[in-house]
Amino acid sequence: MDSRPIGVFDSGLGGLTAVRKLLEVLPGEDIVYLGDTGRVPYGGKSRETILRYAIDDTEFLMRRNVKSILIACGTVSSNALREVQEAAGAIPVTGIVELSARKAANSTRSGKIGVIATAATIRSGAFGNAVRRYLPDASVTEKACPLFVPLVEDGRIHPGEPLIELCAREYLAPMQEAGVDTLILGCTHYPLLLDVIRGIMGPDVTLVNPGEETALYISRELTARNMLSGRSDGGSQQYFITDNSEKFGSVASLFLGRDAGQFVTHTDITE
Ligand code: DGL
């Protein structure tokens, strides 16, 4: 048994898609979430900056005595996993790349797999490389979608809304042309666009939700290592954000599927 909290971080709110799954599968665990909303988005930044931010985020969670760290951010997972693991020392760290790639490799029938993610994630090549480790002959089509994160953070997630539809149709055109049968949503913000993306790609394309895959993995790992809290429900939640934007509450509840306003604290990343 281990009563310490599970730590989760993201550049912003996207990581809440992983928390949503954690709350469902591990209702007895305490969760500490850091959303670096003051510095989001990370996806257009240089690798050096992403590394620096990722270490700040990791150290913030370490100071909260977490037992495990979930990097609920595709950009950090693909650019800084090793550095976060080094900073975390003995605390296990799980990113979203490997598990999503494995899921995609197991799901595809044609071997044609698509990856959509932030510019920094696509530039790293991490998802494509991971998919090919599981499926060497896979044909991987990758596309950066830089406008998705600001649109999602602005709540523009509903099918039929002109801005998001226009943007998604342009970004997904190469996936349709390549005939992918499996699409990795390589950024934790993108599951909020599930309905929009499914509407364009059609019901036969498998969409891989990275936050969910990672939350399920953490649940299995903590169980196997006997590191759960031992409670069956009633775990606490704390959400730290580095910028107290007015829209946090409403957008966060979209991601979480529940109201989190009372658990939110505005913090300095160095605290
Ligand atoms: N949630 C982040 C990710 O998964 C994207 C947001 C950002 O660009 O910072 O990559």
Side-chain angles (χ1 to χ4, degrees):
M1 305 269 183
D2 189 333
S3 61
R4 291 175 297 167
I6 299 171
V8 182
F9 77 85
D10 179 35
S11 54
L13 301 174
L16 295 175
T17 55
V19 173
R20 184 177 186 150
K21 194 71 185 172
L22 278 178
L23 292 173
E24 182 190 320
V25 294
L26 295 175
E29 297 301 309
D30 295 341
I31 293 176
V32 176
Y33 181 88
L34 172 66
D36 192 7
T37 50
R39 301 193 291 196
V40 71
Y42 288 6
K45 307 267 187 331
S46 68
R47 183 159 185 271
E48 290 65 36
T49 301
I50 294 165
L51 286 184
R52 187 155 50 81
Y53 289 177
I55 298 306
D56 289 345
D57 299 340
T58 305
E59 291 176 347
F60 180 89
L61 289 179
M62 299 284 288
R63 288 194 293 278
R64 266 119 203 116
N65 193 29
V66 296
K67 62 183 166 190
S68 167
I69 293 179
L70 193 173
I71 309 177
C73 175
T75 306
V76 173
S77 299
S78 57
N79 281 278
L81 176 64
R82 190 171 43 82
E83 288 79 359
V84 170
Q85 284 171 328
E86 280 168 12
I91 305 298
V93 174
T94 311
I96 66 166
V97 173
E98 205 63 31
L99 295 157
S100 310
R102 189 172 68 190
K103 171 80 175 179
N106 288 337
S107 302
T108 185
R109 299 170 303 278
S110 64
K112 293 178 182 167
I113 294 173
V115 181
I116 52 173
T118 66
T121 297
I122 297 300
R123 192 177 60 218
S124 78
F127 276 100
N129 293 338
V131 166
R132 282 184 287 268
R133 275 199 295 281
Y134 290 105
L135 206 62
D137 293 336
S139 154
V140 184
T141 306
E142 302 185 68
K143 175 79 182 157
C145 307
L147 294 177
F148 272 175
V149 167
L151 284 171
V152 168
E153 298 248 339
D154 198 40
R156 310 289 186 117
I157 60 169
H158 303 291
E161 279 187 14
L163 265 181
I164 190 64
E165 286 284 347
L166 186 71
C167 189
R169 281 185 193 281
E170 179 170 326
Y171 286 152
L172 295 173
M175 304 297 150
Q176 295 177 298
E177 278 156 29
V180 304
D181 72 355
T182 303
L183 179 62
I184 299 177
L185 311 184
C187 166
T188 49
H189 281 68
Y190 298 178
L192 269 288
L193 297 173
L194 212 67
D195 293 340
V196 172
I197 294 171
R198 203 185 297 290
I200 295 169
M201 297 303 294
D204 296 334
V205 172
T206 303
L207 304 180
V208 178
N209 179 334
E212 278 195 13
E213 291 305 317
T214 315
L216 289 169
Y217 172 82
I218 293 220
S219 165
R220 288 194 298 272
E221 276 296 292
L222 292 180
T223 307
R225 294 178 189 213
N226 195 24
M227 283 175 68
L228 292 176
S229 69
R231 297 189 303 264
S232 56
D233 63 8
S236 70
Q237 303 154 53
Q238 278 181 292
Y239 301 97
F240 292 98
I241 52 172
T242 56
D243 179 68
N244 206 2
S245 84
E246 283 164 19
K247 62 179 195 233
F248 179 87
S250 59
V251 182
S253 58
L254 277 179
F255 282 80
L256 272 175
R258 64 175 80 187
D259 186 20
Q262 55 182 320
F263 308 120
V264 177
T265 308
H266 181 202
T267 187
D268 187 307
I269 197 92
T270 57
E271 275 174 21

